Amino acid sequence: MVDALDIAALDAVLADTPFAGKLRHFPTIPSTNFLAMQDAESGAAHGSVYLADEQTAGRGRGDHDWHSEAGSGIYLSVLLRPAVAPADVLWLSLAAGLAVHSAIQQVTTLEPDLRWPNDLLFGTRKFCGILTELNAEVTRVRHVVIGIGINVHQGAFRGELRDSATSLRMESGRDWPRQEIVAALLQSLHRETIALTSSVTAAKAAAEIPERVETISSWIRGKRVVVDEAESFSGVTEGLDPRGFLLVRTSDGLRTVLSGGVREAKSNSFR
Amino acid sequence: MNPEDLKELKELIEFLKDNQIGEFDLDRGDLKVRIKFAHESTSAADLAGLSRMLNATPANSLVLQPVVSPAPSTTAAAPATAEAVAAPVDENACLHIVKSPIVGTFYESPSTGMQAFVKEGDQVENGQVLCIVEAMKLMNEIESDAAGEIVKRLVATGQPVEYGQPLFALRLR
């Protein structure tokens, strides 16, 4: 289906945000994150947004590609230059997941699940992935790029994605305009970013994130998971620590997950 | 320091002990904390032995005392791990340490199977990417903040690193 994005209309809706007038739209592009990081090096402004109808080399964590079919989804990257310490940028990674959750809920009334740190799912199938890239000195953030991919119009997935991916259409039986989702998403992302970066609200906003994540996620407590870190381990989730890291109770004690992929443990493949 | 901060500091010290982290620096605007642990089992004799084993600095030049001071100390760093100790950090004041700006997992290459960004002996430029530290699906490409030769990589791929942990030792040009 044709579901065009109207950039001028988005600019108008986003007038109160740093994104207005800084949206660039590409019919096809290798990777919105790659371009955003490249542009950032050459001085692109805080609030620059890169939107694509199709990515030919979409990036995910580690070796994972992100499947980006033409016009079927939302593929966008947001460039921010927040005045926060590098350690505090991690909150943006969690907040990005909360922002997508809120936008999807607002536009579709669907209730997605959140898999730590920021995958969005319906049941066991993922429809949104987020990859954040940071360029920082020890004490100062130069720039951060938040890349978000959302499956919107796909009717089915083939191959290895068949059982692991879904779209808003597959979940709701109808098509949702990308325009509305992009507008709602950039607005919610703006709210999260402002709260986490203005000195008056930052500490409180950050402190509230673990609980907000736990409220909307079935993965944070009591979920039997396998964690793929350097060596994979399994256990039962036991909440987030005050820095937002996932705690997993294993047979060797409580472990803190810094970066590993978390997936549901099959009852018969408990390792 | 208010009771809240004091409690956090105590928790931090417990955390560092639990994870056997030898040294920790925090610098957040007006709050500067530097913590360095003596290894409890390390007697003077052990230190001498360690020193001989490493064929490096004399024992009395290794600063291994608990230090909690409100300002950054200028004493030579006492490296946290055996591997770090092996780097001649204390021997040569010209060595420059690149530290991690975030907590996360250290990766020496862009993805598994790919070539490492840099290896020991490489000449690097200021701003050149040395490694990735990842946490919560946030990929942080760590750039060199100086030009010089990579003398030592202090962390292995897949290893967790703490905020401020030394990652590379560089001999400045």
Side-chain angles (χ1 to χ4, degrees), chain A residues 197-209:
Chain A
T197 54
S198 87
S199 57
V200 184
T201 53
K204 183 166 178 285
E208 286 172 355
I209 284 186

Side-chain angles (χ1 to χ4, degrees), chain A residues 99-110:
Chain A
V100 176
H101 183 275
S102 145
I104 297 302
Q105 203 180 33
Q106 184 189 327
V107 175
T108 69
T109 73
L110 295 168

Side-chain angles (χ1 to χ4, degrees), chain A residues 138, chain B residues 77 79 81 83-84 86-89 92 94-101 105-110 115-125 128-133 140-159 161-162 164-172:
Chain A
V138 173
Chain B
T81 66
E83 192 181 7
V89 176
N92 192 335
C94 290
L95 284 190
H96 173 81
I97 302 296
V98 179
K99 296 177 179 178
S100 179
T105 305
F106 177 92
Y107 296 104
E108 63 176 346
S109 61
Q115 207 180 358
F117 288 106
V118 292
K119 57 183 189 304
E120 287 169 12
D122 281 2
Q123 290 289 336
V124 298
E125 302 303 322
Q128 185 173 338
V129 176
L130 303 179
C131 63
I132 286 175
V133 174
N140 186 8
E141 287 193 345
I142 311 290
E143 293 178 358
S144 185
D145 50 1
E149 181 196 337
I150 304 278
V151 175
K152 185 80 185 163
R153 173 170 53 75
L154 303 165
V155 185
T157 271
Q159 189 181 323
V161 296
E162 281 300 321
Q165 186 171 333
L167 303 175
F168 291 92
L170 265 68
R171 183 172 292 115
L172 300 178

Side-chain angles (χ1 to χ4, degrees), chain B residues 15-34:
Chain B
F15 174 83
L16 296 174
K17 274 187 189 167
D18 289 348
N19 289 278
Q20 300 184 332
I21 292 156
E23 187 183 346
F24 177 86
D25 281 301
L26 175 72
D27 185 349
R28 274 197 192 153
D30 55 344
L31 177 68
K32 290 189 174 66
V33 176
R34 183 180 176 86

Side-chain angles (χ1 to χ4, degrees), chain A residues 41 61 63 86 89-90 93-94 116-119 130 132-135 137-138 142 230 243-245 258-259, chain B residues 15 27-28 99-105 107 111-112 134-141 143 158 160-163:
Chain A
E41 287 291 338
R61 181 180 164 270
D63 306 326
V89 173
L90 289 180
S93 190
L94 294 174
W116 188 91
N118 54 21
D119 284 339
I130 299 172
T132 309
E133 296 187 66
L134 171 67
N135 183 296
E137 294 165 13
V138 173
R142 289 202 197 100
R243 300 174 299 175
F245 290 114
L258 299 181
S259 63
Chain B
F15 174 83
D27 185 349
R28 274 197 192 153
K99 296 177 179 178
S100 179
I102 62 168
V103 173
T105 305
Y107 296 104
S111 61
T112 38
E134 186 209 352
M136 296 188 200
K137 285 211 304 183
L138 183 144
M139 319 293 290
N140 186 8
E141 287 193 345
E143 293 178 358
V161 296
E162 281 300 321
Y163 171 79

